[in-house]
Every structure is written in structure tokens, then in C-alpha cells.
């Protein structure tokens, strides 16, 4: 097991102000990522043995990259398109899409691929075409992984089983790993395990034994690849997750789940301290 810990944050669309239905009460949408990075960058430097990555929506990335310059914090994007700009080929005609070349050009070093929300979207699109073949999503995600790595981006690759897949959880996880990462450079991949069946209001969180058995399966399938908990590293489970040898970190989204829900920098730092036992 690697001693390096990996702490990721997926900001989804947390820049949307509360008056428009979002959870942002921190700053204007224009200054959201800059405000967060500027608030946490100095304290992050005090945590040794950790890699810190923030995944922001595309509009937030340039300000985040500028604010993070010279710090330990790395900035990533929320996925890349399966195709890319090519000399002598497509010059960049990718309206609404995120070619990996563009993400690298604006300063991203990482990307998150295969998040359960992306998998859900792909499954819905294939369902509209009359297909329930779950391997199709894995094949699309594989193209995204390879496109990202070709531009030098490290990949946080998400896997996880739904309620309907609990009886075949091991088959589902292995399939997602082997198909989604076929041909990838595993030295530049980390895995986030998302128990989709346990994520969301009113659902029972996955417990320590369940997370352990899945993390162990992932490490047996891909030896040497870091595994983080993607079901949400939070105050309530930080100590428990830290006690699992097979878990090398976590993926954070919301830091507050009741009241004025959202992401708050001081709570983010508190979660890190709880996980590291500081």
C-alpha cells in the first residue's frame, strides 16, 4: 500500500448561487474557485504526505489555476471528450464538449472520469437508443481515459454498483475497471469507489466491512493503483475510512449536508484533519 494519501474534491456546479437554486453562499460565480483556493492553499501545505486535487467546472478552472500557482494544490477538470484536437485533423470543432487538449492548455493536471453522474447520463442516452448494454458506457469512458492520458492528465476513475447490481457487485466492479482502463497507463490512475446504492438522502451508507471488501477487490484487480472512497469523505466517516488499510484517501463533495448545505473551506480543512488524525 502506498503511504501517499489522495484527497480530491468534486465541485460539481457548486458555483451556482443559492438564490438560483444552488449552494454557493461564498462568493460570486466569477470568484468562487479563486475564493476557495485562496482560503485553503496555505494550510494544505502543512499536511505532509498528501496529494490535493480540486475538480472544478470548466468556467472555474482558469481562476483556480491562477490562485493555486506555487501551492501544493492541483487543479483538474470534470471529464474530457472521447475525441481530441489533432494536427492536420480536427482543429477544435467541439462545441459544448471538453477536448483534453483544451483542458491541458488552461492548466489542468487531472481529470475525473466515470463519476456515477456521468455513467447515469451515458446509460440514459443508450437507453434512448434502445440499448441496455452496460459495457457500452465502459467503452466510451475508456476512450475518455486514453484521450486524457495522451495529453498528460492524471485520471481519477470512478467505479461503483447500483442497487440492482448488488448481487453481482464483484462482476460489475471488475468489468468497469478492466473495460474502462484497457490500455491505460496505471501509473497515472487512481480509483474512486462509489457505492451508488448507498449515496443520497435516506439511503444507508456503506459500512466498513463492505467498503473494505470492495477496495480489496479493486487492489487485487489493479495491484499498486491507489483506491479512494468516492461515496463521500466527510466528518462522519473520516476516522472510519482512515482505519481501512486498503483505502488511500477520499473524494469530497459537500461538506455540510443539513441547514445551509454546501461546500465550506473551513469544513473541508476539518475533514482533512479528521482523516489524517491531525
Amino acid at each position: 500500500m502506498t503511504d501517499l494519501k489522495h484527497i480530491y474534491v468534486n465541485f460539481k456546479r457548486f458555483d451556482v448561487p443559492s438564490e438560483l437554486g444552488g449552494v454557493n453562499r461564498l462568493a460570486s460565480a466569477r470568484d468562487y474557485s479563486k475564493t476557495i483556493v485562496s482560503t485553503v492553499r496555505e494550510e494544505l501545505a502543512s499536511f505532509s504526505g498528501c496529494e490535493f486535487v480540486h475538480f472544478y467546472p470548466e468556467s472555474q478552472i482558469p481562476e483556480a489555476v491562477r490562485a493555486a500557482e506555487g501551492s501544493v494544490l492541483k487543479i483538474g477538470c470534470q471529464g474530457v471528450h472521447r475525441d481530441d484536437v489533432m494536427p492536420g485533423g480536427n482543429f477544435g470543432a467541439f462545441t459544448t464538449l471538453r477536448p483534453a487538449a483544451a483542458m491541458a492548455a488552461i492548466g489542468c493536471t487531472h481529470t475525473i472520469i466515470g463519476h456515477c453522474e456521468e455513467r447515469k447520463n451515458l446509460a440514459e442516452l443508450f437507453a434512448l437508443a434502445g440499448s441496455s448494454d452496460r459495457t457500452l458506457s465502459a467503452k466510451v469512458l475508456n476512450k475518455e481515459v486514453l484521450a486524457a492520458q495522451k495529453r498528460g492528465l492524471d485520471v481519477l476513475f470512478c467505479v461503483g454498483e447500483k442497487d440492482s447490481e448488488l448481487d453481482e457487485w464483484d462482476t460489475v466492479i471488475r468489468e468497469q475497471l478492466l473495460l474502462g482502463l484497457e490500455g491505460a497507463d496505471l501509473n497515472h490512475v487512481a480509483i474512486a469507489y462509489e457505492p451508488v446504492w448507498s449515496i443520497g438522502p435516506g439511503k444507508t451508507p456503506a459500512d466498513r466491512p463492505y467498503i473494505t471488501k470492495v477496495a480489496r477487490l479493486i487492489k487485487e484487480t489493479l495491484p499498486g493503483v491507489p483506491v479512494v472512497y468516492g461515496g463521500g469523505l466527510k466528518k462522519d466517516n473520516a476516522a472510519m475510512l482512515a482505519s481501512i488499510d486498503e483505502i488511500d484517501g477520499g473524494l469530497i463533495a459537500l461538506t455540510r449536508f443539513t441547514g445551509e448545505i454546501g461546500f465550506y473551506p473551513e469544513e473541508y480543512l476539518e475533514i482533512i484533519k479528521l482523516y489524517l488524525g491531525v
Side-chain angles (χ1 to χ4, degrees), residues 141-212:
L141 295 174
N142 178 248
K143 290 180 180 293
E144 295 176 3
V145 169
L146 299 181
Q149 290 198 332
K150 189 171 183 179
R151 293 298 179 177
L153 300 178
D154 281 15
V155 173
L156 178 64
F157 189 70
C158 302
V159 299
E161 73 282 31
K162 300 180 292 187
D163 304 69
S164 59
E165 298 168 332
L166 282 171
D167 290 341
E168 52 175 343
W169 67 271
D170 49 349
T171 299
V172 170
I173 298 295
R174 282 199 193 95
E175 182 182 272
Q176 290 176 352
L177 291 169
L178 296 176
L179 290 177
L181 295 173
E182 183 178 1
D185 180 356
L186 298 182
N187 292 315
H188 294 278
V189 170
I191 305 299
Y193 169 56
E194 298 181 288
V196 183
W197 57 270
S198 77
I199 299 172
K203 295 188 176 182
T204 302
D207 60 15
R208 187 182 190 279
Y210 195 94
I211 295 169
T212 300

Side-chain angles (χ1 to χ4, degrees), residues 6 42 56 124 126 141 155 199 219:
H6 307 266
E42 299 306 323
Y56 287 102
E124 288 175 352
F126 288 126
L141 295 174
V155 173
I199 299 172
K219 292 209 162 187

